[in-house]
Amino acid sequence: MDPLTWLLIPLAAVFMASVWSCCTGRRRRTDDWAHVQRYDRMRAALARATAS
């Protein structure tokens, strides 16, 4: 019975780590491409401004 109780410690750690990662994980954003396009437009405008 003692070896089985020692197996519960790593299993509990894995379970708690998975719960923690689900709760504190970064949410996926759906509008990332809009930000990239805005950044590209701003970079192009700044390049035009420094070229003139």
Side-chain angles (χ1 to χ4, degrees):
M1 193 63 149
D2 283 336
L4 291 178
T5 56
W6 278 106
L7 285 176
L8 287 178
I9 293 170
L11 288 175
V14 167
F15 177 74
M16 292 304 291
S18 64
V19 168
W20 177 76
S21 68
C22 287
C23 292
T24 61
R26 184 172 59 112
R27 301 285 185 241
R28 293 189 181 262
R29 297 181 61 168
T30 57
D31 60 344
D32 283 340
W33 290 111
H35 290 296
V36 170
Q37 290 170 350
R38 264 188 259 146
Y39 174 75
D40 285 340
R41 281 184 290 181
M42 182 181 71
R43 189 180 64 187
L46 287 174
R48 284 193 306 266
T50 57
S52 60

